[in-house]
């Protein structure tokens, strides 16, 4: 018997993570990270204003600020997973974009300065969705479609 060990067979996940990361995957990760950073910044702003300012309801302002900060974790974790080419990360990233679309629509219905924010949010969410469902991104993450299991 030989003391040499046979190398482990190549799996689809290790094959998917070889080579350079596709730019579309990087762009999707950047968009998710921007959304997470915006949520965290908004949450901090609401939290600070609720604690130091004169809100109508201090408890409601603090709760909203903490909620926004916690919600920021989803796109931030998804962005990190996309950069590391983890297949699980596409789900949270897609969910984040799908949740952003109704928010963008409600901002577009406002008669205020919120309309440009709605346009920007809608554009980012649609662009990220297109990048996330792209075939190149799917292959880079090692995601197989239905009926393609090996």
């Amino acid at each position: 018997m030989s003391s040499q060990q046979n190398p482990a067979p190549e799996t689809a996940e290790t094959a998917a993570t070889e080579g350079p990361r596709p730019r579309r995957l990087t762009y999707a990760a950047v968009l998710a990270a921007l959304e997470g950073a915006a949520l965290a910044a908004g949450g901090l702003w609401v939290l600070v204003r609720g604690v130091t300012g004169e809100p109508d309801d201090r408890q409601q302002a603090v709760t909203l600020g903490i909620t926004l900060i916690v919600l920021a974790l989803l796109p931030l974790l998804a962005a990190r997973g996309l950069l590391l080419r983890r297949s699980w990360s596409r789900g949270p990233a897609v969910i984040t974009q799908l949740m952003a679309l109704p928010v963008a629509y409600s901002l577009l219905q406002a008669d205020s300065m919120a309309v440009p924010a709605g346009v920007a949010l809608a554009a980012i969410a649609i662009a990220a969705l297109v990048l996330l469902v792209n075939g190149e991104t799917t292959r880079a993450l090692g995601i197989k479609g239905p009926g393609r299991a090996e």
Side-chain angles (χ1 to χ4, degrees):
M1 283 212 201
S2 171
S3 63
Q4 262 186 340
Q5 293 182 352
N6 292 332
E10 186 174 311
T11 63
E13 190 169 317
T14 58
T17 59
E18 290 178 359
R21 180 177 44 247
R23 269 191 272 162
R24 291 177 180 159
L25 184 58
T26 303
Y27 296 155
V30 167
L31 291 176
L34 284 174
E35 287 174 331
L39 275 171
L44 283 172
W45 182 76
V46 169
L47 186 62
V48 168
R49 293 277 307 196
V51 171
T52 62
E54 294 294 325
D56 293 336
D57 185 359
R58 185 177 310 270
Q59 183 178 3
Q60 186 177 11
V62 170
T63 303
L64 177 61
I66 291 171
T67 301
L68 288 174
I69 292 168
V70 170
L71 283 175
L73 293 175
L74 183 66
L76 291 172
L77 288 173
R80 184 176 187 276
L82 290 170
L83 286 174
L84 296 174
R85 296 170 85 165
R86 304 289 191 250
S87 61
W88 61 263
S89 61
R90 190 174 80 157
V94 168
I95 289 169
T96 300
Q97 306 319 315
L98 292 176
M99 289 185 333
L101 289 173
V103 174
Y105 180 76
S106 67
L107 291 173
L108 290 171
Q109 300 303 310
D111 290 331
S112 68
M113 295 294 292
V115 172
V119 170
L121 182 58
I124 290 171
I126 291 169
L129 278 171
V130 168
L131 291 168
L132 288 166
V133 298
N134 183 279
E136 186 179 337
T137 301
T138 303
R139 282 187 298 278
L141 293 173
I143 298 172
K144 295 181 179 68
R148 295 190 183 114
E150 292 177 4

